[in-house]
Amino acid sequence: MSQSDLFGAPAEAGVTVSSPAEVAAALREQLNAHAHRYHVLDAPSIPDAEYDRLFQALQALEAEHPELRTPDSPTQRVLGQVLDGFEPVRHAVPMLSIRTETDTEASGAEAFDARVRRELALPDDAPPVQYAAELKFDGLAINLRYEHGVLVQAATRGDGETGENVTQNIRTIGQIPLRLQGPGAGASAPVLEVRGEVYMRRDDFEALNERQRQHGAKTFVNPRNAAAGAVRQLDPAIAAQRPLSFFAYGLGEVQGWDVPDTHSALLDALAAMGLPVCAERTVAEGASGTSGLVAFHQAIGARRDQLPFDIDGVVYKVNRRDLQERLGFVTREPRWAVAHKYPAQEQLTQVEGIDIQVGRTGKLTPVARLKPVFVGGVTVTNATLHNLFELRRKGVRLGDTVIVRRAGDVIPEVVGVVAPEGGRPAYVPNFRMPRTCPVCDSTVLREPGEVDHRCTGGLFCAAQRKQALLHFAQRRAMDIEGLGDKLVDQLVDGGVVRTLPELYKLGVAKLAALDRMADKSAQNLVAALEKSKQTTLPRFLFGLGIRHVGEATAKDLAKHFGQIDRIMDASEAALLAVRDVGPVVAHSLRTFFDQAHNREVVEQLRACGVSWLEHDGAALVDPATLPLHGKTLVLTGTLPTLSRDEAKALIEAAGGKVAGSVSKKTSYVVAGEEAGSKLDKARELGLTVLDEAGLQALLAAAVATVAAAGAEPAAPQDGSGPTG
Ligand SMILES: [Zn+2]
């Protein structure tokens, strides 16, 4: 029997393929393997819904053939096993699980209410039963033991009878009071065990995974898995770094406190003691319709995506405690409670292709094109793979069966591959990132130490147009008043503006033709555009949106070079000579200006009349006045502190040239340790040989010259003036 048979039709698998005994054995093996991956390795390989399906298939089979039930069957224990390193805790009152109603429709609630009425032997005309309705959190159940109001122990559910002592880790959760508060008897009871769920908020989960991704580390499948991993983390210091939250929803052992008569009053009492209790709860009647359980299930279902945490259903509990006691338990589940599920947030489907999406900021994201699948309440056809490294780590390839997760308004993602038994059917080549942007054909770059590939097209790339326009228009750049998000959307989506220069060709008539654009606003914008043309070099440079060129760097560059043309032409070495410009920034600038279309945009903007005053600083210095102007230097050997590139950059910044070989035209030879034949040749030709200190002395003269020129005001670089 193959794994895919189990996934496809677990319930019928036995009938069509093998004997019931063989099917049961295969199911047991599968379930135990998955449980091990899930609980011990923290690396689940199938969605929960699939696990549940396999589990139910085995349960059904065992119910039909009791002789097949073995002591090691996963049906014979509640999930969880004690990890080495945790002390076992025997629960004073077993931690039971709640029966799950997998019928996600209204009938699921109605069936439960009917069953309760039947068990209570209520006549048809008896008033409706009241239920406490609350959320079913997708986390890890925990028992908190308070003695005289002080938290003394926290334990996981484990197998329901025995859990793990995780007190140290639970103490790191700020929401859990270490001491109960309030005047009530409960807060100071000799024993009060509070039960609830430790979970991770979705935004905390996304941030955690994003950090993992940026470090090229393993990501977590879902918030529950991340929360469970943190609680059962043997190192409390690591656990403390994982942001966990908690909701209380029930009791374990109680001594010395008269528990309230209803479940809803109990939750109110717990909240009054300082325990977090979810506000999304109500008391509802069993009758169907707008006021009952069905309405609660539907209302929460409609808002499920907006909740800040994952839920997989809602829970109904008979509100009155005396009725709960009358109903009692069946096997290990209370008759008075049920979990009413929602559609699963993880499903299996197949990868039909891997596409590249270019984001607003130029990031290239591999996206899996999927066989359509209903997950988290919607049909999903695409799911993000985040970046090349995550894609490789997960091993996703064309044709693979994958787990897709969609929860909240987070974009759907591929969380893992379900490897087919016996490997892939045929050779599938590795996915590769394109070398050029699929949208604009600009060079794609990935910087050292980063995981993301990016299009360097910036203002030229259609995918980045909106972002580029907004960046260009912002107050700290060109300061175009009135050019905000909504207008940029309109201009770009309507095809009115495709490039930055086209902004300056907008007339009042063209703008006033846009939806919701009054004549007055159109006139204001045209005036703002006109005003923005007169700018400064740092603002213009920053406005181009070159990666890593922020305001401060733009100022440094402008100060150093003074003219845009000199910046566009500067070698990486020359750029490195600018204060605070490192190799990453220099490379980013060089890549940007090496692309003809980016230089073209600069030219067009100047042609539109965008102009700026020359900035003061080094740029004002006539190159002829630089101390090394017209000098050619040759570097040889290893200098004590400067690298070859640094020395070269410093020489170029001082107006000198660096040549590769020594000749009569060489002005100076700078020689360090282990200088070879170049030094011999210099001596032969009688040239001046400097050591590093000698070079530094020459350069110091350059700095002095630049500083002296620094305060001078300058003339406009472009004679056309602001009106163009
Ligand atoms: Zn592009």
Side-chain angles (χ1 to χ4, degrees):
M1 157 174 292
S2 78
Q3 195 168 15
S4 56
D5 289 335
L6 287 176
F7 289 136
E12 298 87 49
V15 188
T16 54
V17 185
S18 334
S19 73
E22 283 171 316
V23 176
L27 284 166
R28 274 197 302 273
E29 196 182 316
Q30 292 279 326
L31 286 163
N32 280 329
H34 289 310
H36 179 75
R37 286 186 62 85
Y38 184 91
H39 290 283
V40 181
L41 307 179
D42 279 333
S45 59
I46 55 169
D48 285 0
E50 289 298 325
Y51 184 91
D52 291 348
R53 239 174 291 197
L54 296 175
F55 192 88
Q56 282 162 10
L58 181 59
Q59 261 182 331
L61 200 59
E62 288 176 347
E64 211 177 311
H65 307 275
E67 74 280 6
L68 296 177
R69 193 173 289 145
T70 60
D72 72 334
S73 173
T75 59
Q76 299 308 297
R77 67 177 167 108
V78 184
L79 297 178
Q81 82 188 67
V82 175
L83 272 185
D84 284 349
F86 285 113
E87 179 199 335
V89 173
R90 181 104 190 139
H91 295 302
V93 176
M95 286 183 83
L96 304 173
S97 46
I98 290 180
R99 206 177 62 80
T100 295
E101 177 55 76
T102 47
D103 175 358
T104 60
E105 301 300 317
S107 40
E110 287 158 2
F112 171 62
D113 182 46
R115 206 161 46 238
V116 167
R117 293 180 69 89
R118 201 167 52 241
E119 298 281 350
L120 290 171
L122 295 178
D124 286 351
D125 56 354
V129 176
Q130 291 208 320
Y131 297 94
E134 54 195 52
L135 307 185
K136 185 173 185 303
F137 311 107
D138 207 2
L140 186 73
I142 290 286
N143 184 73
L144 304 175
R145 185 177 176 90
Y146 288 89
E147 290 179 1
H148 303 286
V150 176
L151 178 66
V152 294
Q153 189 183 66
T156 61
R157 183 203 302 270
D159 64 2
E161 303 289 336
T162 305
E164 297 153 314
N165 185 340
V166 290
T167 314
Q168 267 190 300
N169 291 348
I170 293 300
R171 278 186 203 280
T172 67
I173 304 174
Q175 284 190 342
I176 294 181
L178 300 180
R179 176 182 283 279
L180 298 176
Q181 62 185 39
S188 55
V191 175
L192 178 66
E193 287 189 352
V194 177
R195 286 176 179 173
E197 197 96 343
V198 169
Y199 66 96
M200 192 177 284
R201 285 171 56 101
R202 218 180 280 129
D203 54 355
D204 286 334
F205 168 73
E206 292 301 323
L208 172 66
N209 261 1
E210 187 55 32
R211 277 202 304 281
Q212 296 288 103
R213 236 172 256 134
Q214 292 307 321
H215 291 100
K218 181 175 167 290
T219 50
F220 297 91
V221 173
N222 52 41
R224 179 174 38 75
N225 184 243
V231 168
R232 302 169 81 242
Q233 168 61 244
L234 288 167
D235 180 353
I238 295 178
Q241 291 163 11
R242 308 266 167 83
L244 297 174
S245 304
F246 178 79
F247 279 131
Y249 54 60
L251 294 178
E253 187 186 10
V254 178
Q255 289 176 24
W257 183 43
D258 284 335
V259 177
D261 289 340
T262 62
H263 184 72
S264 52
L266 165 66
L267 294 182
D268 291 340
L270 292 178
M273 292 178 205
L275 287 154
V277 175
C278 184
E280 302 281 355
R281 61 192 164 99
T282 189
V283 176
E285 294 186 339
S288 58
T290 51
S291 64
L293 300 180
V294 173
F296 184 75
H297 186 256
Q298 285 171 353
I300 296 293
R303 294 195 10 255
R304 182 188 188 191
D305 283 355
Q306 278 85 56
L307 294 172
F309 43 80
D310 278 6
I311 56 168
D312 57 4
V314 292
V315 177
Y316 314 129
K317 293 172 180 166
V318 171
N319 201 26
R320 273 170 53 184
R321 216 153 43 81
D322 59 334
L323 294 184
Q324 290 182 3
E325 277 157 17
R326 263 174 66 191
L327 284 159
F329 297 85
V330 54
T331 59
R332 306 171 66 93
E333 294 168 342
R335 278 202 189 88
W336 44 267
V338 75
H340 192 190
K341 292 269 218 174
Y342 289 121
Q345 290 176 319
E346 287 168 15
Q347 288 292 356
L348 291 178
T349 189
Q350 242 148 18
V351 176
E352 295 187 328
I354 297 177
D355 300 333
I356 293 291
Q357 271 176 14
V358 186
R360 282 167 67 101
T361 59
K363 187 190 155 191
L364 271 66
T365 304
V367 174
R369 201 156 10 91
L370 303 171
K371 194 168 157 199
V373 60
F374 190 72
V375 52
V378 301
T379 299
V380 166
T381 54
N382 287 297
T384 183
L385 290 156
H386 295 289
N387 62 55
L388 179 66
F389 301 95
E390 186 147 333
L391 179 157
R392 282 196 191 145
R393 201 175 43 69
K394 288 175 179 160
V396 179
R397 297 200 193 181
L398 208 66
D400 279 352
T401 299
V402 293
I403 305 171
V404 176
R405 170 180 153 85
R406 182 202 165 270
D409 44 15
V410 178
I411 46 172
E413 65 170 341
V414 172
V415 296
V417 174
V418 178
E421 233 167 58
R424 293 187 170 86
Y427 173 74
V428 182
N430 263 324
F431 169 81
R432 286 177 194 284
M433 286 302 262
R435 286 170 184 278
T436 58
C437 173
V439 175
C440 73
D441 212 30
S442 295
T443 310
V444 166
L445 263 192
R446 182 181 66 82
E447 286 163 7
E450 293 210 356
V451 293
D452 294 328
H453 288 72
R454 289 178 186 279
C455 163
T456 57
L459 42 81
F460 178 75
C461 182
Q464 300 174 65
R465 229 167 246 164
K466 289 180 184 177
Q467 190 81 347
L469 284 171
L470 285 170
H471 180 85
F472 187 73
Q474 69 174 287
R475 198 172 47 78
R476 293 178 299 142
M478 299 297 279
D479 194 16
I480 306 172
E481 220 182 305
L483 189 60
D485 267 312
K486 287 203 181 96
L487 185 53
V488 164
D489 282 352
Q490 264 186 302
L491 292 173
V492 172
D493 295 342
V496 181
V497 171
R498 279 158 310 186
T499 65
L500 290 182
E502 281 181 3
L503 262 186
Y504 290 100
K505 292 173 185 142
L506 288 172
V508 174
K510 216 174 198 174
L511 282 168
L514 294 172
D515 276 356
R516 295 184 301 277
M517 173 66 87
D519 276 1
K520 182 73 184 144
S521 316
Q523 279 164 13
N524 287 347
L525 183 64
V526 169
L529 281 163
E530 199 57 38
K531 186 169 158 234
S532 77
K533 284 182 182 173
Q534 201 164 15
T535 185
T536 66
L537 180 52
R539 281 173 174 271
F540 180 76
L541 201 53
F542 172 59
L544 291 177
I546 304 165
R547 191 157 160 76
H548 299 302
V549 178
E551 264 183 298
T553 306
K555 275 182 190 155
D556 288 342
L557 287 163
K559 192 166 180 175
H560 187 96
F561 291 101
Q563 296 171 14
I564 188 83
D565 296 292
R566 292 178 61 192
I567 299 171
M568 291 200 288
D569 291 339
S571 67
E572 275 185 44
L575 289 165
L576 280 171
V578 180
R579 194 168 66 98
D580 287 343
V581 170
V584 171
V585 183
H587 190 61
S588 173
L589 276 157
R590 204 52 266 146
T591 308
F592 184 88
F593 287 122
D594 275 345
Q595 303 186 61
H597 52 244
N598 290 337
R599 299 174 81 106
E600 182 65 17
V601 169
V602 172
E603 292 314 324
Q604 286 175 10
L605 285 168
R606 286 205 278 201
C608 289
V610 173
S611 68
W612 50 85
L613 293 177
E614 290 260 60
H615 201 265
D616 31 69
L620 295 177
V621 178
D622 178 347
T625 67
L626 288 172
L628 297 187
H629 175 70
K631 309 278 192 225
T632 302
L633 287 81
V634 172
L635 297 164
T636 178
T638 310
L639 298 176
T641 66
L642 291 174
S643 73
R644 188 66 70 92
D645 280 346
E646 285 164 348
K648 183 168 185 255
L650 290 171
I651 291 164
E652 287 176 347
K657 281 203 182 96
V658 174
S661 59
V662 175
S663 73
K664 268 189 259 179
K665 289 180 186 161
T666 304
S667 318
Y668 303 100
V669 172
V670 182
E673 290 275 52
E674 291 174 17
S677 59
K678 289 180 191 169
L679 180 58
D680 298 339
K681 180 129 192 230
R683 292 200 171 120
E684 219 173 278
L685 294 170
L687 301 173
T688 310
V689 177
L690 301 172
D691 57 7
E692 191 183 305
L695 175 65
Q696 295 284 18
L698 269 181
L699 295 170
V703 172
T705 312
V706 170
E712 302 279 330
Q717 169 198 324
D718 181 331
S720 58
T723 51

